[in-house]
Amino acid sequence: QVQLVESGGELVQPGGSLRLSCLASGFPFSNYAMRWYRQGPGKERELVAGITSIGGSTYYADSVKGRFSISRDNTKNTTFLQMNSLKPEDTAMYYCNAYRRVPGRDWQYWGQGTQVTVSS
């Protein structure tokens, strides 16, 4: 059974930091690229950050560059999102996503999300 379980979301003041975790099971984690998406109130889901299967390359949305950092530990089937200098506009449900594509086929899995609220 495939599972992606996010944790670490909570209420934090502007300027604060949080570290989100996503624990994966039920599929070969090290073969999958991992991504974090978020969906704020009244907004569409957006890609925040991504990391390749062996962690050699990362991607960040312009809105989080320099503040967020994605990483992964393939020995623990876990990916992380370190979020610093948080702003109220970072308030959203954050979702973990696993993705793999080979010629002719692709796989994608989603977690249930963890809520991040940035407010004073």
Side-chain angles (χ1 to χ4, degrees):
Q1 181 183 1
V2 171
Q3 280 193 307
L4 291 173
V5 180
E6 301 98 332
S7 61
E10 62 181 68
L11 172 64
V12 63
Q13 292 189 342
S17 298
L18 284 176
R19 189 191 197 204
L20 306 184
S21 299
C22 173
L23 176 62
S25 60
F27 64 97
F29 179 77
S30 61
N31 290 345
Y32 282 67
M34 298 300 296
R35 310 176 211 177
W36 286 95
Y37 285 77
R38 68 184 181 187
Q39 187 166 17
K43 298 181 181 179
E44 293 186 354
R45 190 172 294 191
E46 63 171 340
L47 176 62
V48 174
I51 188 167
T52 52
S53 58
I54 58 173
S57 181
T58 56
Y59 162 84
Y60 297 97
D62 287 343
S63 57
V64 306
K65 278 181 183 175
R67 300 188 298 122
F68 290 12
S69 178
I70 188 170
S71 61
R72 65 189 295 161
D73 184 342
N74 286 351
T75 67
K76 297 181 180 179
N77 285 7
T78 303
T79 189
F80 304 97
L81 186 67
Q82 178 67 42
M83 305 187 295
N84 299 326
S85 303
L86 283 161
K87 305 175 181 180
E89 51 263 44
D90 295 317
T91 295
M93 184 73 78
Y94 283 72
Y95 298 92
C96 180
N97 170 271
Y99 179 74
R100 183 187 182 197
R101 173 176 285 179
V102 299
R105 187 173 177 182
D106 60 75
W107 297 261
Q108 184 163 221
Y109 307 118
W110 291 92
Q112 294 299 305
T114 185
Q115 178 67 40
V116 172
T117 302
V118 185
S119 176
S120 55

